[in-house]
Amino acid sequence: MGGKNKQRTKGNVRPSSSGRAAEVLAREGGVIPGFVGFDTTVTSELSYVPAVHGAEDIDNLVDADFRLVLRKLSKRDSVTRLKAVQDFGAMCQERDAEDVKGVLPYWPRIYCKISMDYDRRIREATQIAFEQLVLKVRRNLAPFLKSLMGHWILSQCDTYSPAASAAWRAFQAAFSPTKQPEALSFCKEEILGVLQDILLKETASTLSDPQTATEEEREAKYVRMLTSSLLGVKRLLSLLPQAERTSLESKLADFLSSGKFWKYSKHKTPQVRGAFFELVCALCELTPALAQAEAARLCPAVLLNIDDADPLVLAPVWEAVLHVLSSIPDCWTHVNAKKGFMPKLWALLNDGGKGLAKAFHPNLMPLLSKLPTHITDPQIDFLTTFFTSLIHGLTSERAASSPSESAVIVTSVVECLRYCILQNAQEDMDQKKLVTILVSQQLLPLLQTALTSPSLQNGPLFLLVTEMLVSWEKRAGLHSTVDVHDNSDVFKELVTDFWEGLSSLFVHYVDREETDPRAFEGMALFLQVMRDPEKVNRKQTQKKSVKICFTGSEEDEKTVEGNGSEGRVKTGTSSDKLCEPLQTQYFEDVVCQLAQLCLVHVNEKHSEIHLVFLSRLLRSFHTPRVFTTLIELEKQDEQNTETIHSMNTKNPAMRFLLERVVLWLSEEGRTDTEHLVEMVFSSLQCCSQQETTRILNHITMMNLPWGITVQYIQRACANPETLKNCNEWLKGSVLGETLLGLTEELCKVQSVASNSSSPNSDSWKLISLVLSQHHNNVPLIGEVYMEKILERLHSTLSEAKNLSDAGNMEPLISFVCDMALTFFSSVQDCLLLESAEELLFTVFKLTAQDQTRTHLPDSLVAKLKKVCVAGVQSLVQFSTPEIRENGFLQSAVLWVKNQLLTVNLDIKSLQVLIVSMQSLIETIIVDANQDTALLIQIFSLLSPSENEWTRIRRALPPQWVKLPLLSGHLRAVCETPCLDMWKSRALTRVPAHLCASAMLGKVATHFDQSEKGNYFSSPNLKHAAAELLYTLQWCKEVECSPSVVAAYHSLLVDWGLSEGLRGMIPVKEMLQTLYSRGIEEGGLWSLALKKYIQSKDTLTHQSAILNNLYNPAECLFPISGGKLSTLQVLCKYMNIEDRDSFVALATAGIISWEDNKISDVSGCMAVLLCCLEAQTSVDDEIVLQILDILMQWRNCKEDWFLFHNEFSQVSSEELNLTVEMIRFLSWVVAHFPSVLKSSQWDFILCTMVAWLEAVSENVAHLWNPWVQLFVCENAALVVKLNKFFIAPPPDVAKELPKELTNEWTEFFVDGIYSLLLPLLTKITDAFPDPEDPVFPLQVFQSIGMALTFVPLKQLTAHSLPPRFIADQKTNLPENLQTLLNTLCPLLLFKARSLQITIYLVLEKVMPTLPECDGEGDSSKSDDGKDEPCLSPPASLMAILSACEELCENILTGVQLGEFAVVQPLSVEYSCILGYLLAWKLLLTFFRSAPSHLRAHYAQFLKQSSSLIKLLRHLFKLMPESPVYPGGAGAETKEAKTFFTENLSLTVEKSHSAEWELLHLACSVYYSTLQDLPAMVRLWWNSQEKRVSAAVEKFTIKYVSPVLSAQEISSVQSSTQMFDNMTVKARSAAREVIATYCVDDICIELVIQLPQNYPLGSITVESGKRVGVSVQQWRNWMLQLSTYLTHQNGSIMEGLALWKNNVDKRFEGIEDCMICFSVIHGSNYSLPKKACRTCKKKFHSACLYKWFTSSNKSTCPLCRETFF
């Protein structure tokens, strides 16, 4: 085939070589060669599915896709086969019928195989696919039926039900019901042949391939096939017509003659045995002749296997038993009944059917009917044994634990008894004796057992016995409606004997002192069932059970009719006749006798159990005769006689009540009175309504415990008939006044202490009961009394708040809540009562107030909320919901509105109020149909009026104006600004405007839900939406700075109101509302308009709507505050023509300034600037003209420039004008510098400096936002001038005046920064508290931005007042020391912008400071120092020391390696920021120092432990994953981290405050590793294993790759040149190679950076070594390695030191024999100190270390004393 292992292309249709050979043979031979095991002819035995295209006559019929699927069906993998079957079914459904027909010749063999698959899923899928095939091919299936039908029938009997059902559906799809018998008749012999082969020939090994299936699989399949085959034979017989069955009898006879078939009755598998007996049933029923012929084997196989107790076998066995008894008359001749059958039957009965009573016991009565007399003789002994065993089965374990099993056994016992008694109820003495024995020895003992057995009492025994008694009475002629039977005397005698026996049994139990209470319960229940069997029958759960239906004639009573499988019983439900009550005198006699006995025991022995039994008797038997019997028992005493006389009654029931029951009720100490109450109402059923009212009123006035009254009312409401009889008593004044008095007593606070709440539980229960029980919407008691009770409860709740502090109201309120909840939830139209509405309103008020005001516990609040919801639901469900005058809804809404507008609410109170209102509205929406209209009414009622809105809006604190004013978003004026006004006091309560906006916004959200986005034209909704936007803007502008505002804003976010009522008001209407209010009032309305325009849903409407708001332009003139702020918002959205017209109007106003007020001039300047900032084009002449006007003002209106004014006397309007002038000059410098002349430049620069001087003189007035604005805009002008002069545009630079740049550099810069630099300290002195509301934070930002441009020259030659610190060691000149002493402390000031400013300023100075230390610390001290050290600038170190302690306190609870979360801009944030900035400055200073000074500084840091503390702090501040925000996202090589991105610290407010500190910490760590690697390495090596591992892991992952690449890159880009040495770097290998060549000597070193650089040591490896001794080479390598490991220098610096050593060595200078280096590693000195003896020279520092460490003064080499 051209390569055994080649991969064939999927779908390749070209046949293989063997396929082509087969094709040739076919052509030559003319026939298709067969395969092994297959016939060569095309017959019904179909051949294999062709795999090649050679045989066109067959292959053309099979689609290629079908062929592929059919091949997969032969695979071993079950999943593959399952998928193939499913695909086959889908293809049959989707393909054309012609394509599917091509598969038919090959389908039978495949179907016969896969329909018997091991996997049940495959079998089910096969039948489903077969159904699709059948539906597609229809009649074309006919030629293949005989090949298919056998396995098709097998599949219909599959043990897996889904597969069998699918096969039956396929069969129904193929054949209609009329055609099914014909199809089976056509294939009957083939079907029987398949089934017979499986049953008689096949084995587990022949059915399955032993090589592919396990033994368990083979055995399981064999058992399944046996079961299916047995059931298949049964199915075949049942579906075939009778004629076809007869034609099969010969083959069936051969089949039945096989001994292997009969062995299946003893098969080890239960399902096979069960199928066998099912087949036997079918044989007996459908082919009785065959059954008779095989009786010799069939009868023993069935009758001797009745004890097979397997659940799968027992039911078919007993069905077979009945069929055998019915169809084979001589069956007992083949079986020994006495030895083989009966013992197994008795054992089965004694064992209760072995837990299978439901399947076994219904067959017993049909069995009795079929047993012949020679089997049952003697009958008495047989029946005695039968019933004794049957009843004994009730004691079996299964029957005792299963009520259903016990019920089946009891039913069988009674049915068999009833059958046997009916059979023997004759005049014959033997039969009478037998009946008597059955009643006395079987029935009555069973009843006696049941009286003390709860399981039997709860079963059907009593009902079945009652039905049997009724049938006996009817046959005895004791029922007038029934004809008298011939043997009526027998049944009369039977009934008499039964009642005598039952009476003696009952008396035996009742007439004893100590009787089991279960016996009384049993007797009461039995008597109740006999009294009213129909009632008990209704209570029984309806279950499918077999009931024997006895027909009217005697002949039918003696036999059970039926045929076939139903012959054993005739099933049906109980008829109404079986549930008739007993109608004999015996029954009432027994009851009277028992009642008398009970009364005797109660009177004489006070037996409570007999009293309860008497109550149970009277409940069922309240007849005059019974009461008469009880009355006549004793003679009445005198007291009773008087009572009777007073009531004047002859009614025995009434007399019994008054003489007995009332006395029992009034007995002291009686706890259980329920049975007495029941006895009262049983007696009242024999009384008239008038007598009932008199009795109940009498009992009510007896002052009985309230619990008894509760029981009376509950019993009176138990059913409509009783309620009707008791109605007069319930509505009467006696009960009403009693209940009203009880309510008054309960609601007295003094009587409801916390420890006395439990005794009153019955009292509260009584009140709750009468309030909640309504019938037909009518109160239970009189309506007058109902109103009075509700009024009293309402007044109790109203007192709750005032009396709650006493601590004794909680139980009372709890009870009131319970009653109100019951009342509201159970009574319809309850809120039609005015008192009920008042009660609900009081409950609502309590739920809508915070618990700090009501002092109610959580449990009570929860109860009150439930009461409120129930009340509102009742209001909207059972009445028309509307806002009625003084109704609940109006009162509640107006009260809520009053709370919002007049009460100072805190956040919690506001939240509770809104949630309560929301709950009210949600309840209305859910339960009302017309929710929208009602909701609009509530919303209108809740909305404040326009005057109220204005009042609460003006009451908002004005501090909001500061932020938009300083940010340039708003131009505003303040009438009389004062310091107290801006010192905002911390809000503790939510302003009323915020409360109202939140409430209405939350309520309005329900409009959207109910109307699904439809707009409302309600003006109240539009006003509420606008006011909510105003509130949101106010919160934004105050930056939610008070905690109350922040909490309020978070509530709005949670409620979905953070964007206002978006989508509920049309955009055009909303814009018009905001615009009109902005024109009138300006301020926040204008800002709200701006925010609304910028929102997403209005961007698309801008051009269409906004132009209509302000057209024509003249409508905004003359300008006012509101118009100006609105114009500022709209300017950027205007078209060019409108902006040009505004520019013209503003210019005209400025030109005619002499005729206008200062406010008008300021407004015109502002309008002009708004248009200019909106990119409006303007001519140069206009700009120069306005600039000339400003210069004119400089001369004639100098006071407008505020040069010499005291700002405390300046109004905000004047400041606004100056600010607008500054802004105009800034705009001119930025946009029109080329048109300015020298005089105009001088005006701008001189004016700017003069303004700075004015600022410097008015620092104390920076609390004023307008003064802050003045300073900020002036600083912004400085920034723009700096940017311009640092990098002027090339085309502009040419046109500038010649001397302008020099004047700026030499004069103006110095003037600017000589004023700005001292401002920092002046402002911090004037405003020392950054938390002060008037602290000028924006000023610091603006000045800081200006100071970032300060030149170094101005810093070193500053004009700050001198500031020195005593005992401060310093080498710095005085001006630099003053600068540091002045600015360094400000690093700790809690103002981020100031801290960043100080850092940026000092960063410029730091590189110049090391040169002031000269050669460093050359002195020696006696304090034990082994190396010289030198302190960095003292001012900076002092700040570091202070910060270290603060950071230690802040981070003290954080472990090393954990991440400390620092709140942005908090005190801790400022402290850590100052600490890290100080370290950044120190590292800049260190980096700028020369090598020898760095060693001194490093030694100082080592001694002070500052670096160790820094590293500890850094690993608490750096995040675990320092991914840069907005970076690559995943932690890959390309991911951006805080180490790969440069840190940019800006003065202006940072949007990255959350991660700025993290980035700064990472930056400091990176710089530390870069500048102090040796010290970091030393610290890392000294840490414990956990810490060092965490540090190394973090450094390797994030820092080392960046730092290594930077180090290699610095070597590659280094411009440092060495004589005789070349340096190369390999970035991929992290290697640096240095080659030193001099004369013939060539030396090469390889420096390798470790993976954890710089924590790990740099390795120095030897390359080429020519002309150098080994010892010398080792010394040099050690020297370089030591330097790179222990000195804080770079690789290039280490190589330079090494080269110097080599150079000196070749110059003849010998190494120091202590450090083996020519040049000292730290001070770079040569060996100069020589020993007088050996003449060797040493470094001074090395000798000092040698002497101090060895405690000797000898030479290290010769050991002579060193002089």
Short mmCIF file of all heavy atoms in Angstrom, two decimals, residues 457-483:
data_model
loop_
_atom_site.label_atom_id
_atom_site.label_comp_id
_atom_site.label_asym_id
_atom_site.label_seq_id
_atom_site.Cartn_x
_atom_site.Cartn_y
_atom_site.Cartn_z
N GLN A 457 -54.90 2.27 64.99
CA GLN A 457 -55.95 3.29 65.09
C GLN A 457 -55.91 4.25 63.90
O GLN A 457 -56.93 4.68 63.38
CB GLN A 457 -55.80 4.08 66.40
CG GLN A 457 -56.07 3.29 67.65
CD GLN A 457 -55.73 4.09 68.90
OE1 GLN A 457 -55.53 5.29 68.83
NE2 GLN A 457 -55.67 3.39 70.03
N ASN A 458 -54.69 4.58 63.48
CA ASN A 458 -54.54 5.52 62.37
C ASN A 458 -54.73 4.86 61.01
O ASN A 458 -54.71 5.55 59.99
CB ASN A 458 -53.16 6.18 62.41
CG ASN A 458 -52.97 7.03 63.66
OD1 ASN A 458 -53.93 7.60 64.16
ND2 ASN A 458 -51.76 7.07 64.18
N GLY A 459 -54.88 3.55 60.99
CA GLY A 459 -55.07 2.84 59.73
C GLY A 459 -56.54 2.75 59.37
O GLY A 459 -57.41 3.40 59.97
N PRO A 460 -56.84 1.93 58.39
CA PRO A 460 -58.24 1.82 57.89
C PRO A 460 -59.10 0.82 58.65
O PRO A 460 -60.22 0.56 58.23
CB PRO A 460 -58.03 1.37 56.45
CG PRO A 460 -56.79 0.53 56.48
CD PRO A 460 -55.91 1.14 57.55
N LEU A 461 -58.60 0.25 59.77
CA LEU A 461 -59.31 -0.84 60.43
C LEU A 461 -60.71 -0.41 60.86
O LEU A 461 -61.71 -1.07 60.54
CB LEU A 461 -58.50 -1.34 61.63
CG LEU A 461 -59.17 -2.41 62.49
CD1 LEU A 461 -59.42 -3.67 61.65
CD2 LEU A 461 -58.32 -2.75 63.71
N PHE A 462 -60.81 0.71 61.61
CA PHE A 462 -62.10 1.12 62.15
C PHE A 462 -63.10 1.40 61.04
O PHE A 462 -64.29 1.05 61.14
CB PHE A 462 -61.94 2.34 63.03
CG PHE A 462 -61.16 2.08 64.29
CD1 PHE A 462 -60.56 3.11 65.01
CD2 PHE A 462 -61.02 0.78 64.78
CE1 PHE A 462 -59.85 2.86 66.17
CE2 PHE A 462 -60.30 0.52 65.94
CZ PHE A 462 -59.72 1.57 66.64
N LEU A 463 -62.66 2.02 59.99
CA LEU A 463 -63.57 2.34 58.88
C LEU A 463 -64.03 1.07 58.17
O LEU A 463 -65.21 0.91 57.84
CB LEU A 463 -62.85 3.28 57.89
CG LEU A 463 -63.68 3.75 56.70
CD1 LEU A 463 -64.88 4.55 57.16
CD2 LEU A 463 -62.82 4.59 55.76
N LEU A 464 -63.10 0.14 57.98
CA LEU A 464 -63.47 -1.12 57.32
C LEU A 464 -64.44 -1.93 58.17
O LEU A 464 -65.41 -2.53 57.65
CB LEU A 464 -62.20 -1.94 57.03
CG LEU A 464 -61.26 -1.36 55.96
CD1 LEU A 464 -59.95 -2.15 55.94
CD2 LEU A 464 -61.92 -1.42 54.60
N VAL A 465 -64.22 -1.96 59.48
CA VAL A 465 -65.13 -2.69 60.39
C VAL A 465 -66.50 -2.03 60.38
O VAL A 465 -67.54 -2.71 60.38
CB VAL A 465 -64.54 -2.76 61.80
CG1 VAL A 465 -65.55 -3.32 62.79
CG2 VAL A 465 -63.28 -3.63 61.81
N THR A 466 -66.50 -0.70 60.34
CA THR A 466 -67.78 0.02 60.31
C THR A 466 -68.54 -0.30 59.03
O THR A 466 -69.76 -0.54 59.05
CB THR A 466 -67.52 1.54 60.40
OG1 THR A 466 -66.80 1.81 61.60
CG2 THR A 466 -68.83 2.30 60.40
N GLU A 467 -67.84 -0.29 57.91
CA GLU A 467 -68.49 -0.63 56.64
C GLU A 467 -69.06 -2.05 56.69
O GLU A 467 -70.16 -2.33 56.19
CB GLU A 467 -67.49 -0.50 55.50
CG GLU A 467 -67.07 0.92 55.21
CD GLU A 467 -65.99 0.99 54.15
OE1 GLU A 467 -65.52 -0.08 53.73
OE2 GLU A 467 -65.61 2.10 53.76
N MET A 468 -68.30 -2.97 57.32
CA MET A 468 -68.77 -4.35 57.44
C MET A 468 -70.02 -4.41 58.31
O MET A 468 -70.99 -5.11 57.99
CB MET A 468 -67.66 -5.22 58.01
CG MET A 468 -68.00 -6.70 58.11
SD MET A 468 -66.55 -7.71 58.48
CE MET A 468 -66.10 -7.09 60.08
N LEU A 469 -70.02 -3.67 59.43
CA LEU A 469 -71.20 -3.65 60.31
C LEU A 469 -72.41 -3.10 59.59
O LEU A 469 -73.54 -3.60 59.74
CB LEU A 469 -70.90 -2.81 61.55
CG LEU A 469 -70.09 -3.49 62.67
CD1 LEU A 469 -69.79 -2.49 63.76
CD2 LEU A 469 -70.86 -4.68 63.24
N VAL A 470 -72.18 -2.03 58.80
CA VAL A 470 -73.31 -1.44 58.06
C VAL A 470 -73.90 -2.46 57.10
O VAL A 470 -75.13 -2.59 56.96
CB VAL A 470 -72.84 -0.17 57.32
CG1 VAL A 470 -73.91 0.30 56.35
CG2 VAL A 470 -72.50 0.92 58.31
N SER A 471 -72.99 -3.22 56.43
CA SER A 471 -73.50 -4.23 55.49
C SER A 471 -74.27 -5.32 56.23
O SER A 471 -75.28 -5.85 55.74
CB SER A 471 -72.35 -4.83 54.70
OG SER A 471 -71.53 -5.65 55.51
N TRP A 472 -73.80 -5.70 57.44
CA TRP A 472 -74.53 -6.70 58.23
C TRP A 472 -75.91 -6.16 58.62
O TRP A 472 -76.91 -6.89 58.56
CB TRP A 472 -73.74 -7.05 59.49
CG TRP A 472 -72.47 -7.82 59.20
CD1 TRP A 472 -72.07 -8.34 58.02
CD2 TRP A 472 -71.46 -8.13 60.15
NE1 TRP A 472 -70.86 -8.95 58.14
CE2 TRP A 472 -70.44 -8.85 59.46
CE3 TRP A 472 -71.28 -7.89 61.53
CZ2 TRP A 472 -69.29 -9.31 60.09
CZ3 TRP A 472 -70.15 -8.36 62.15
CH2 TRP A 472 -69.14 -9.07 61.44
N GLU A 473 -75.96 -4.91 59.07
CA GLU A 473 -77.24 -4.32 59.47
C GLU A 473 -78.22 -4.31 58.30
O GLU A 473 -79.42 -4.55 58.46
CB GLU A 473 -77.03 -2.91 60.01
CG GLU A 473 -76.34 -2.86 61.36
CD GLU A 473 -76.16 -1.44 61.85
OE1 GLU A 473 -76.45 -0.51 61.06
OE2 GLU A 473 -75.73 -1.24 63.00
N LYS A 474 -77.72 -3.99 57.12
CA LYS A 474 -78.59 -3.97 55.95
C LYS A 474 -79.13 -5.36 55.65
O LYS A 474 -80.31 -5.54 55.33
CB LYS A 474 -77.83 -3.44 54.73
CG LYS A 474 -77.54 -1.95 54.81
CD LYS A 474 -76.77 -1.50 53.55
CE LYS A 474 -76.49 -0.01 53.62
NZ LYS A 474 -75.75 0.45 52.42
N ARG A 475 -78.26 -6.35 55.76
CA ARG A 475 -78.70 -7.72 55.48
C ARG A 475 -79.62 -8.24 56.58
O ARG A 475 -80.42 -9.15 56.35
CB ARG A 475 -77.49 -8.63 55.31
CG ARG A 475 -76.66 -8.27 54.09
CD ARG A 475 -75.43 -9.14 53.96
NE ARG A 475 -74.59 -8.65 52.86
CZ ARG A 475 -74.80 -8.92 51.58
NH1 ARG A 475 -75.82 -9.69 51.24
NH2 ARG A 475 -74.01 -8.42 50.65
N ALA A 476 -79.49 -7.65 57.78
CA ALA A 476 -80.37 -8.05 58.88
C ALA A 476 -81.69 -7.30 58.81
O ALA A 476 -82.60 -7.59 59.64
CB ALA A 476 -79.70 -7.78 60.22
N GLY A 477 -81.85 -6.38 57.89
CA GLY A 477 -83.10 -5.64 57.74
C GLY A 477 -83.24 -4.53 58.74
O GLY A 477 -84.34 -4.03 58.99
N LEU A 478 -82.15 -4.09 59.36
CA LEU A 478 -82.22 -3.03 60.36
C LEU A 478 -82.23 -1.64 59.72
O LEU A 478 -82.42 -0.65 60.42
CB LEU A 478 -81.03 -3.16 61.32
CG LEU A 478 -80.96 -4.50 62.08
CD1 LEU A 478 -79.73 -4.53 62.97
CD2 LEU A 478 -82.22 -4.70 62.91
N HIS A 479 -81.98 -1.56 58.41
CA HIS A 479 -82.08 -0.29 57.69
C HIS A 479 -83.38 -0.31 56.90
O HIS A 479 -83.63 -1.23 56.12
CB HIS A 479 -80.89 -0.12 56.74
CG HIS A 479 -79.62 0.23 57.45
ND1 HIS A 479 -78.85 1.31 57.10
CD2 HIS A 479 -79.00 -0.34 58.50
CE1 HIS A 479 -77.80 1.36 57.89
NE2 HIS A 479 -77.86 0.35 58.76
N SER A 480 -84.19 0.68 57.09
CA SER A 480 -85.52 0.67 56.49
C SER A 480 -85.47 0.73 54.98
O SER A 480 -86.41 0.32 54.31
CB SER A 480 -86.34 1.86 57.03
OG SER A 480 -85.66 3.09 56.74
N THR A 481 -84.41 1.22 54.43
CA THR A 481 -84.35 1.41 52.98
C THR A 481 -83.93 0.15 52.25
O THR A 481 -83.93 0.12 51.02
CB THR A 481 -83.34 2.53 52.65
OG1 THR A 481 -82.06 2.15 53.18
CG2 THR A 481 -83.78 3.84 53.25
N VAL A 482 -83.55 -0.89 52.99
CA VAL A 482 -83.02 -2.11 52.37
C VAL A 482 -84.03 -3.25 52.55
O VAL A 482 -84.60 -3.42 53.63
CB VAL A 482 -81.66 -2.49 52.98
CG1 VAL A 482 -81.11 -3.75 52.31
CG2 VAL A 482 -80.70 -1.33 52.83
N ASP A 483 -84.22 -4.02 51.48
CA ASP A 483 -85.10 -5.18 51.58
C ASP A 483 -84.53 -6.24 52.50
O ASP A 483 -83.31 -6.40 52.60
CB ASP A 483 -85.32 -5.79 50.18
CG ASP A 483 -86.02 -4.80 49.26
OD1 ASP A 483 -86.72 -3.89 49.78
OD2 ASP A 483 -85.83 -4.91 48.03
#
